[in-house]
Amino acid sequence: MLSGKHLIAGQWVAGDATFLSSPATGEALAFAVGSPAHVDAAVKGAEAAFPSYAALSREKRAAFLEKIADEIEARGAEITAIGTSETGLPAGRLEGERGRTTGQLRLFASHIRKGDYLDRRTDAAQPDRKPAARPELRMMQRPIGPVAVFGASNFPLAFSTAGGDTASALAAGCPVVVKGHSAHPGTGEIVAQAVDAAIKALGLHPGVFSLVQGGRRDVGEALVKHPLIRAVGFTGSLGGGRALFDLCAQRPEPIPFFGELGSVNPMFLLPHAVATRGAAIAAGWSGSLTMGAGQFCTNPGIAVVVDGPEAQAFIAAAKAAVAQVGAQTMLTDGIAQAYRQGRDRIAAGTGVQAVLTSVCDMRQATPYLFEVSGADFLANHALAEEVFGPLGLIVLVRDLAEMAAVAAAMAGQLTTTLHLDPEDYGVAQTLMPVLERRAGRVLINGFPTGVEVVDAQVHGGPYPASTNFGATSVGTMAIRRWLRPVAYQNFPVELLPVDLR
């Protein structure tokens, strides 16, 4: 049952106003509008919970994460029903994303049980060292305090209420305050109910988790500016993320902002691969480009290929494959409108030619393909900016030298991809030093949609892909965002943290 309320430190709280959801199908529902006062109460609850939660044993925190996963699964049918209504995503996609969400929680439970993330180090005392004795030093990673998490529009489960940011922060020992996304408030509330049930079942401090729904920009600003918040996790637009990033930096006590903001995930198609299997690459690109109406941060929006007969055959194959994709419902009316604006921006670029056009309106998205020369692409930075949806741009370069120039001109990306055969290895070796500097993940002969949640994953990259190139929002290394090293000098064993004794 949906209450339409906020969850604030264990209490379901109404607001002075409500907003209506904007579902793709079904009835619009009313939810409380968040306010700075709600944020303040939630953050103060998180701070009150921090001492006891940070001191909780790794085993008990792991059990908490697993209990959240169990409670989410117990509500699986409810989550699928409200999620498909709110977002227009098919049931299979929601069920898969729910599995990813519970899998992340259980992965972090396993990760903290092992204890490696603590990075424990000890340097023994040397009392007889001359000319001065050396003290004993021990070091380990410690949780930083309450964390703010902003839910993502395109992942109502895996990157939202109990998604990767929340799971990793709770694993680290940090209470979490979530700013729910208004695109899927019902989904967010049911997941929050699952977290609340886990807190109550294990007798934890209720301030460990809060969800504030809706609200205008002042709610997000109040959250990142609150003096008790120690870090922020965000997935969203470049404009919105950059504004919050700047607020974090301008605080009297600046805090880290871990934002994932935008990426076009360029693919570089090397000559031998295009000549021998260009049609297969085109078919794979079509599937990745249009998957989920192109609403993935790893959507490969740009393909770079050396012009010539093989490139023209690739373009024809890509057009034929993409033309088979029909209209798809986008997550929100605003995203659909932004997609059409992005389409118009690309189409208006100097030298841009339409390969495949279609008609999309309202909340529906249909695919588009465009092509442009390498020279015109390099002359117009706007062509390298993300279009969130199933739109592809093919950059036809004169030669491999111009391909290298295009690679060097790219801003930071979540991913870059090389399609190659063994005969292309020499060219690839010249591109790799450039691509490694541009992206957090480099792929060979694959497509970047689909991000494995594993130890070795990096889902981040240089700006504007993310605001901290040393961090990832997917994989177990994501826990490092919510920890800081503390050194303990000449401590009696009895006073050390339990994990450092």
Side-chain angles (χ1 to χ4, degrees):
M1 296 289 292
L2 290 173
S3 70
K5 298 178 180 179
H6 314 289
L7 174 62
I8 298 179
Q11 300 295 317
W12 292 96
V13 178
D16 295 332
T18 61
F19 71 96
L20 287 177
S21 64
S22 182
T25 59
E27 180 185 0
L29 302 174
F31 293 87
V33 175
S35 69
H38 291 125
V39 168
D40 183 60
V43 176
K44 286 179 178 175
E47 177 65 21
F50 179 63
S52 62
Y53 187 64
L56 210 62
S57 72
R58 288 183 283 118
E59 177 55 41
K60 289 183 179 178
R61 265 187 281 131
F64 175 45
L65 297 174
E66 290 170 339
K67 183 61 174 173
I68 296 172
D70 292 343
E71 294 288 347
I72 289 173
E73 287 175 344
R75 294 162 175 77
E78 290 180 80
I79 290 170
T80 299
I82 190 68
T84 54
S85 170
E86 289 182 324
T87 66
L89 294 171
R93 158 70 193 274
L94 266 296
E95 289 163 1
E97 191 180 331
R98 188 177 74 242
R100 173 173 170 160
T101 303
T102 57
Q104 287 177 152
L105 288 159
R106 293 187 173 112
L107 176 65
F108 276 108
S110 174
H111 185 63
I112 61 175
R113 280 192 176 103
K114 296 174 185 175
D116 295 344
Y117 77 98
L118 295 169
D119 193 18
R120 290 169 283 199
R121 307 181 186 197
T122 299
D123 288 293
Q126 295 180 358
D128 298 327
R129 190 183 68 173
K130 304 299 182 183
R134 187 178 81 178
E136 179 192 73
L137 281 167
R138 301 190 186 207
M139 185 275 284
M140 69 179 291
Q141 301 289 335
R142 299 292 289 155
I144 58 174
V147 167
V149 170
F150 284 74
S153 64
N154 61 330
F155 278 89
L157 296 169
F159 277 87
S160 289
T161 309
D165 287 348
T166 297
S168 57
L170 292 175
C174 298
V176 174
V177 177
V178 174
K179 167 66 171 66
H181 200 288
S182 58
H184 38 74
T187 308
E189 182 183 327
I190 295 176
V191 175
Q193 291 175 8
V195 181
D196 187 43
I199 290 171
K200 288 180 168 60
L202 298 182
L204 303 182
H205 192 294
V208 164
F209 176 87
S210 292
L211 170 69
V212 179
Q213 296 273 35
R216 291 173 291 276
R217 181 169 294 183
D218 61 335
V219 176
E221 291 181 357
L223 186 54
V224 302
K225 292 169 67 175
H226 199 290
L228 297 177
I229 288 293
R230 312 315 302 156
V232 178
F234 173 89
T235 299
S237 69
L238 175 60
R242 182 54 197 252
L244 295 176
F245 173 78
D246 290 343
L247 286 177
C248 287
Q250 292 163 6
R251 288 173 36 140
E253 182 182 0
I255 59 172
F257 179 86
F258 298 101
E260 182 192 303
L261 308 184
S263 183
V264 295
N265 307 294
M267 306 188 310
F268 296 86
L269 283 57
L270 301 191
H272 196 275
V274 176
T276 59
R277 49 189 180 87
I281 296 172
W285 183 38
S286 171
S288 183
L289 181 71
T290 62
M291 180 188 299
Q295 298 170 113
F296 290 93
C297 47
T298 52
N299 185 33
I302 292 178
V304 185
V305 59
V306 177
D307 199 4
E310 293 85 359
Q312 295 304 316
F314 166 79
I315 293 172
K319 178 180 179 180
V322 172
Q324 303 301 312
V325 179
Q328 300 178 73
T329 302
M330 301 201 87
L331 292 158
T332 69
D333 295 328
I335 289 174
Q337 181 181 2
Y339 174 60
R340 292 190 291 271
Q341 293 171 343
R343 170 204 61 191
D344 295 342
R345 169 172 54 80
I346 297 297
T350 300
V352 173
Q353 301 293 322
V355 174
L356 173 70
T357 61
S358 54
V359 176
C360 63
D361 57 13
M362 305 299 289
R363 199 157 159 174
Q364 300 299 303
T366 51
Y368 291 83
L369 284 180
F370 297 94
E371 66 176 66
V372 68
S373 70
D376 285 330
F377 180 83
L378 289 167
N380 185 355
H381 182 269
L383 297 178
E385 295 176 2
E386 181 182 32
V387 177
F388 195 63
L391 182 147
L393 177 63
I394 301 162
V395 180
L396 294 167
V397 295
R398 291 190 309 271
D399 49 31
L400 293 172
E402 191 168 66
M403 178 179 283
V406 168
M410 288 288 179
Q413 306 291 330
L414 293 172
T415 76
T416 62
T417 301
L418 281 170
H419 287 278
L420 52 77
D421 285 347
E423 292 82 356
D424 298 311
Y425 285 179
V427 177
Q429 287 174 338
T430 65
L431 288 174
M432 275 304 302
V434 177
L435 300 185
E436 284 180 337
R437 295 183 65 188
R438 297 298 182 274
R441 178 163 58 111
V442 184
L443 296 81
I444 298 292
N445 293 337
F447 298 94
T449 43
V451 183
E452 292 291 337
V453 184
V454 292
D455 289 329
Q457 186 59 270
V458 174
H459 191 62
Y463 186 86
S466 63
T467 56
N468 190 312
F469 59 78
T472 176
S473 60
V474 179
T476 54
M477 200 173 73
I479 198 172
R480 293 187 183 180
R481 298 173 296 171
W482 324 119
L483 299 164
R484 67 181 183 88
V486 177
Y488 300 85
Q489 183 169 323
N490 284 342
F491 258 60
V493 171
E494 294 81 1
L495 295 180
L496 284 168
V498 172
D499 283 322
L500 199 52
R501 293 177 187 175

